[in-house]
Amino acid sequence: MHRVEHVMGMPILVDVRDDDVDERVFFDVFGWFRWVDGVFSTYKDDSEISRINRGELEVADADLGVQTVLGICEQLRATTDGYFDARASSPEVLDPSGLVKGWSVDRATAILDSAGVRRYAVNAGGDLVVRGGGWRVGIQHPLDRGEVAKVLEIDDLAVATSADYARGPHVLDPHTRCPPRGVLSVTITGPDLATADAYATAAFAMGAERAQHWTARLRGYQALTILADGRVLSTPGFPGVS
């Protein structure tokens, strides 16, 4: 069974491969995503993030989920030497979207786990978490939309890719406010999608030279980086590439 809905500005797919699953779990999962969209959207005037940006709501008075996400953003800003920053586009604008997608998917998997689902995938705009065995995940080629750069054979893992091919130059180096140079895409795999997504964004923002050295030092997460000169670099533990 599977269901796709357009939420949070992107298609979200929940693909369940177990037998005899109560379909009400889909309502719970997508109800969660709609709640996240209502609270965190930077496009909805009544969201808590929009109200914080207008000075109408203090972070201390925001929903606990907002406080949690913003706290994780600050931790990741320190971990990534400032290359992941919820204020990357402007110091005056708070936009935690780079973490919210992965964070919300991680919590959606907890809903599925609690319902007894064991083999599933949750794919939010190309970043995903899979559980159970036998999943094959393609990494889109950054220059040819019709081609797959790599195929991963994975079981229980989160996979996040940062690149400009889907939305144009939207990832900026927070230190210079300019697009990075020399890198086409960065894919990070690891135990949770929120961190993998943030690491992929940070590594892409670093540009080619810094990214390859920084990703080599990650613990618990693996990276595949495609450079503008055609080189494909992967850390030693990057999963089953074919």
Side-chain angles (χ1 to χ4, degrees), residues 77-90:
R77 187 173 67 85
T79 302
T80 62
D81 300 323
Y83 282 93
F84 178 84
D85 192 341
R87 298 184 184 273
S89 60
S90 169

Side-chain angles (χ1 to χ4, degrees), residues 135-151:
W135 293 95
R136 289 172 60 85
V137 176
I139 299 173
Q140 183 174 314
H141 195 287
L143 295 179
D144 189 340
R145 295 293 299 273
E147 294 293 329
V148 174
K150 298 290 180 182
V151 176

Side-chain angles (χ1 to χ4, degrees), residues 22-224:
D22 188 336
E23 292 190 24
R24 288 178 294 183
V25 72
F26 290 105
F27 292 97
D28 294 338
V29 170
F30 284 104
W32 160 250
F33 283 126
R34 284 189 288 272
W35 180 87
V36 171
D37 190 33
V39 171
F40 287 93
S41 173
T42 58
Y43 298 97
K44 296 183 176 182
D45 289 341
D46 59 347
S47 76
E48 293 205 0
I49 295 301
S50 294
R51 292 174 60 206
I52 290 171
N53 277 323
R54 290 196 302 267
E56 299 172 1
L57 178 67
E58 296 294 330
V59 171
D61 298 323
D63 185 271
L64 181 58
V66 172
Q67 297 181 46
T68 298
V69 164
L70 296 182
I72 297 172
C73 284
E74 282 302 301
Q75 295 171 13
L76 286 165
R77 187 173 67 85
T79 302
T80 62
D81 300 323
Y83 282 93
F84 178 84
D85 192 341
R87 298 184 184 273
S89 60
S90 169
E92 290 77 34
V93 178
L94 176 65
D95 183 2
S97 302
L99 183 76
V100 168
K101 176 170 66 172
W103 176 81
S104 64
V105 170
D106 287 334
R107 277 145 188 79
T109 66
I111 295 173
L112 291 164
D113 291 341
S114 295
V117 184
R118 293 293 172 259
R119 187 165 183 253
Y120 61 82
V122 182
N123 185 328
D127 296 332
L128 70 156
V129 174
V130 301
R131 293 288 183 264
W135 293 95
R136 289 172 60 85
V137 176
I139 299 173
Q140 183 174 314
H141 195 287
L143 295 179
D144 189 340
R145 295 293 299 273
E147 294 293 329
V148 174
K150 298 290 180 182
V151 176
L152 313 184
E153 297 180 357
I154 55 178
D155 295 331
D156 300 292
L157 208 62
V159 183
T161 297
S162 183
D164 282 343
Y165 52 72
R167 296 169 52 194
H170 65 285
V171 178
L172 303 178
D173 177 342
H175 303 292
T176 65
R177 310 292 176 188
C178 295
R181 294 176 176 268
V183 60
L184 296 179
S185 71
V186 179
T187 298
I188 301 289
T189 64
D192 71 88
L193 189 59
T195 303
D197 202 0
Y199 282 173
T201 299
F204 188 84
M206 291 175 187
E209 187 62 31
R210 187 180 182 95
Q212 57 186 303
H213 298 295
W214 184 79
T215 55
R217 299 194 301 270
L218 292 177
R219 294 185 177 181
Y221 292 82
Q222 303 296 329
L224 179 110

